Amino acid sequence: LSAINNPSIEIECGGVVKSTSKIKNAKKNPNFDDSSLFFDVYLPIEELYMPPLNIRLLDHRTFGLKPLVGTHTIKSLKDYRRDPVAQYQAIRNKMLIEGFGSMDSEYEIERGGRASPVGGF
């Protein structure tokens, strides 16, 4: 077995695959450059038809070899799902209660559920 020096991760769900950048030297700095990976996947409403989330760990070796080092499968995504319409409505209602007025034209929703003025600061 060889040591893992330049790992990267591939995440696949519903036919969509995203990859992280590789870690140049895992012994010196075992952290990825980006701590988050975002992608949109259209999922069915019913849990029965939900595709699994597959996580694959690859190592980048000389001569372009990328052996598969490890895998993990998350079979149920119900704990990780969010409804963007419900989230938008909750933020909109909170802003109306706090006295920000109508946010439909003045505010936009950013990732993570924060609202900021259109044009941003």
Side-chain angles (χ1 to χ4, degrees), residues 1-118:
L1 295 174
S2 297
I4 300 170
N5 293 321
N6 301 313
S8 70
I9 294 176
E10 282 184 353
I11 299 177
E12 184 267 329
C13 185
V16 178
V17 179
K18 285 286 190 168
S19 299
T20 64
S21 59
K22 70 177 182 176
I23 297 176
K24 295 190 185 345
N25 189 343
K27 290 181 181 176
K28 286 186 179 178
N29 182 13
N31 299 315
F32 289 98
D33 293 335
D34 296 323
S35 60
S36 301
L37 187 64
F38 293 98
F39 60 103
D40 295 325
V41 179
Y42 294 104
L43 300 173
I45 294 172
E46 294 185 33
E47 186 70 26
L48 176 66
Y49 303 113
M50 191 74 60
L53 180 73
N54 297 310
I55 303 169
R56 293 184 286 274
L57 176 64
L58 305 169
D59 190 21
H60 296 259
R61 296 188 179 158
T62 55
F63 305 113
L65 295 175
K66 295 181 189 175
L68 181 65
V69 178
T71 63
H72 184 73
T73 300
I74 299 173
K75 294 179 182 176
S76 175
L77 297 176
K78 70 179 181 179
D79 294 336
Y80 306 101
R81 290 183 72 168
R82 70 176 177 89
D83 183 4
V85 174
Q87 183 180 10
Y88 171 80
Q89 290 172 345
I91 292 170
R92 184 175 185 269
N93 291 339
K94 181 179 178 186
M95 292 184 74
L96 288 173
I97 291 170
E98 292 176 357
F100 283 99
S102 173
M103 83 175 239
D104 291 334
S105 61
E106 300 173 25
Y107 289 87
E108 61 183 8
I109 304 298
E110 297 176 354
R111 285 192 192 267
R114 294 171 291 174
S116 67
V118 173

